[in-house]
């Protein structure tokens, strides 16, 4: 049976992260701190070997990926793993969102609040469906390979849920931190192992 490894990494920090602003489809760059942290993470991960890196088309993911690329490594960019579009909320802080009228509906999952219906925003169901299409893309293009996916918080929530076999709402339970690394191992397309590595806790990791 073909063994495929899919690792995911949320992009490094931006000024929007520091200000607790919703970026979504806004193409914000990494902050200087974020770039330094991405370079440090790449150093810690130098013992890892990937056959390809796949990112969204947003700059913060692409710039993070540049720290991990090695000569000749395939580098694929796709809108399928872009961040959720937050519509009217984009560019606003969490406090700003509380003042919107009409208010944005929120649900509590995993001990956190999640915005359901921002005006002109992308519903969670559509992000989840993109994640399903992205999963199919990876297994079609990279069977038996080790792939590093660099993407965004909400998209990775949905994608992780898809990999685990969770539904859309269940997928909201865990939100990845910046530069949080998670690995999913498959036999064929059956998930056999999931593991997480906190890069802040290691000097160098190898799989």
């Amino acid at each position: 049976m073909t063994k495929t490894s899919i690792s995911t990494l949320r992009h490094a920090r931006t000024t929007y992260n520091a200000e607790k602003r919703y970026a979504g489809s806004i193409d914000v760059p990494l902050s200087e701190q974020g770039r330094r942290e991405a370079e440090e993470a790449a150093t810690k991960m130098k013992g890892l070997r990937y056959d390809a890196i796949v990112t969204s088309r947003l700059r913060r993911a692409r710039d993070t990926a540049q720290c991990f690329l090695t000569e000749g490594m395939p580098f694929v960019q796709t809108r399928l793993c872009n961040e959720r579009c937050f519509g009217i909320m984009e560019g606003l802080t969490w406090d700003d969102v509380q003042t919107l009228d009409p208010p944005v509906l929120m649900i509590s999952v995993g001990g956190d609040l999640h915005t359901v219906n921002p005006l002109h925003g992308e519903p969670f169901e559509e992000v989840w469906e993109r994640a399903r299409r992205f999963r199919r893309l990876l297994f079609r293009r990279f069977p038996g390979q080790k792939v590093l996916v660099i993407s965004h918080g909400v998209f990775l929530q949905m994608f992780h849920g898809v990999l685990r076999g969770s539904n859309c709402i269940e997928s909201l339970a865990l939100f990845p931190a910046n530069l949080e690394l998670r690995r999913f191992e498959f036999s064929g397309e059956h998930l056999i192992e999931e593991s997480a590595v906190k890069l802040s806790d290691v000097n160098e990791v190898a799989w």
Side-chain angles (χ1 to χ4, degrees):
M1 189 71 72
T2 302
K3 298 292 182 66
T4 301
S5 176
I6 299 174
S7 296
T8 66
L9 190 75
R10 186 180 169 204
H11 65 80
R13 282 194 274 191
T14 69
T15 56
Y16 273 39
N17 291 137
E19 297 168 0
K20 298 183 178 180
R21 294 186 184 277
Y22 288 87
S25 62
I26 299 175
D27 205 11
V28 295
L30 297 181
S31 64
E32 287 302 316
Q33 179 182 6
R35 190 174 298 277
R36 288 194 302 272
E37 290 173 346
E39 292 170 351
E40 291 170 1
T43 298
K44 292 175 181 178
M45 290 170 61
K46 65 183 179 181
L48 305 183
R49 297 292 181 267
Y50 296 106
D51 298 305
I53 292 181
V54 182
T55 77
S56 79
R57 290 190 174 273
L58 294 171
R59 182 177 173 184
R60 55 194 184 272
R62 292 186 286 111
D63 286 354
T64 301
Q66 291 297 325
C67 298
F68 294 84
L69 283 171
T70 58
E71 186 175 357
M73 180 184 292
F75 179 35
V76 177
Q77 302 173 50
T78 172
R79 290 183 177 87
L80 283 177
C81 62
N82 276 16
E83 180 59 299
R84 178 193 187 196
C85 174
F86 289 99
I88 194 174
M89 292 166 44
E90 294 197 345
L92 301 183
T93 66
W94 172 256
D95 289 341
D96 293 333
V97 169
Q98 310 311 303
T99 67
L100 291 175
D101 187 19
V104 176
L105 174 66
M106 298 188 186
I107 58 173
S108 178
V109 182
D112 198 5
L113 290 175
H114 308 270
T115 57
V116 175
N117 64 340
L119 184 64
H120 306 308
E122 186 179 15
F124 285 124
E125 292 81 2
E126 291 184 11
V127 185
W128 189 72
E129 182 56 36
R130 277 201 287 118
R132 292 182 64 195
R133 291 164 57 198
F134 183 61
R135 182 189 190 278
R136 292 196 293 269
L137 170 70
L138 294 182
F139 278 103
R140 184 174 69 248
R141 294 192 60 172
F142 305 106
Q145 298 187 52
K146 294 182 179 180
V147 182
L148 176 62
V149 173
I150 300 179
S151 185
H152 310 267
V154 175
F155 178 82
L156 287 177
Q157 281 182 298
M158 296 291 111
F159 184 53
H160 291 168
V162 166
L163 294 181
R164 296 178 185 122
S166 303
N167 65 35
C168 176
I169 300 303
E170 291 170 341
S171 299
L172 293 169
L174 297 173
F175 189 79
N178 293 103
L179 295 175
E180 179 178 305
L181 178 65
R182 190 166 291 270
R183 182 181 60 155
F184 298 83
E185 297 287 338
F186 293 86
S187 177
E189 294 193 21
H190 175 69
L191 180 64
I192 57 175
E193 182 182 356
E194 176 184 349
S195 57
V197 174
K198 293 183 178 180
L199 298 180
S200 60
D201 294 342
V202 297
N203 293 319
E204 183 176 329
V205 294
W207 292 329

